[in-house]
Amino acid sequence: MNDPTSANPLATPDATTTYTLIVTSDTCTSSDQVNVLIQGVAEAAFNVRFEPGCDGLRAYFNDLSTAPLSWLWDFGNGESSTEQNPVFDLTYGQDFNVTLTITDIFGCTDAVTQNYNVNNYEDYVDLSVPNVFTPNNDGMNDVFTINTEAVLGPCTNMVVYNRWGQKEFESFGANIVWDGRNFGGIECITGTYFYVIEVKGMSFEGTVLLNR
């Protein structure tokens, strides 16, 4: 209470609380009680998973709020969503403030804001390129491709050359997978091949052993 000795104090409980009033006049004393029930339990919380792509950083928001009935997401750029777990595309190189406001069944609201410093594509992408594959249709290591959890798109291409510098394979877009065949569909012979892979300005060059 702001003043427990006042005739009309202001109480701001954050949990259900029983208040006792004691009144004294000369030698007489009287008391009474009132129970203030706090019903609203709204508490906003969320986390996010990022999925880098060629055109932007896709954010998968996951609501972790307590007792929400409705949601209002403000992405800080004039766009919003009332979905519980929205998906939103962020722009590389820009900062974003995302605010989630929830309302519970009692009409109580709570809000939480998280700030994101969105870096460049390569800061979110972990790429590795194998150095051997065995296209013998045994279901194990049959193709040559990039190992990554990123979503590869139109900003990706791969070219494979034989040891004489002749182009054996080329692929553009997300499906950069070489099955060990040349442009004519003929199986390439066992040996070392050279590759050039480009992903949104990043270049990877090296050799891979095709072993049948």
Side-chain angles (χ1 to χ4, degrees):
M1 288 186 175
N2 62 338
D3 184 359
T5 63
S6 170
N8 300 289
L10 176 64
T12 55
D14 56 9
T16 298
T17 303
T18 299
Y19 292 92
T20 302
L21 171 63
I22 302 175
V23 179
T24 302
S25 176
D26 295 330
T27 59
C28 297
T29 300
S30 180
S31 65
D32 197 5
Q33 288 185 330
V34 62
N35 187 49
V36 178
L37 178 64
I38 305 299
Q39 292 182 311
V41 292
E43 185 175 347
F46 68 91
N47 61 16
V48 61
R49 175 178 64 85
F50 293 121
E51 184 179 88
C54 288
D55 298 328
L57 185 66
R58 178 154 292 186
Y60 294 83
F61 292 96
N62 181 34
D63 172 49
L64 300 174
S65 303
T66 301
L69 179 65
S70 63
W71 304 262
L72 177 60
W73 299 83
D74 182 353
F75 299 109
N77 63 348
E79 296 191 44
S80 61
S81 174
T82 57
E83 297 180 8
Q84 181 178 8
N85 300 302
V87 178
F88 187 70
D89 290 329
L90 306 177
T91 302
Y92 293 115
Q94 294 186 5
D95 296 340
F96 281 85
N97 297 324
V98 179
T99 300
L100 168 62
T101 302
I102 65 166
T103 303
D104 66 14
I105 60 175
F106 302 106
C108 297
T109 63
D110 189 42
V112 62
T113 299
Q114 295 187 21
N115 304 319
Y116 299 100
N117 299 318
V118 183
N119 298 317
N120 297 320
Y121 177 84
E122 56 267 25
D123 296 319
Y124 298 94
V125 177
D126 184 17
L127 300 175
S128 65
V129 184
N131 57 13
V132 62
F133 75 116
T134 56
N136 54 12
N137 297 317
D138 65 352
M140 299 177 60
N141 199 28
D142 283 332
V143 296
F144 172 68
T145 188
I146 294 177
N147 295 322
T148 180
E149 294 183 358
V151 178
L152 302 178
C155 59
T156 307
N157 68 280
M158 177 170 67
V159 182
V160 178
Y161 303 89
N162 61 25
R163 61 180 179 175
W164 296 284
Q166 298 169 322
K167 187 184 296 185
E168 296 283 1
F169 174 82
E170 186 172 15
S171 178
F172 296 90
N175 188 30
I176 53 168
V177 177
W178 184 37
D179 63 358
R181 297 175 182 269
N182 62 19
F183 290 110
I186 300 174
E187 293 183 348
C188 296
I189 62 174
T190 294
T192 299
Y193 292 81
F194 301 86
Y195 64 82
V196 178
I197 300 174
E198 295 182 349
V199 182
K200 198 174 176 64
M202 296 184 292
S203 183
F204 302 87
E205 299 180 5
T207 62
V208 58
L209 175 62
L210 187 160
N211 187 7
R212 297 189 184 278

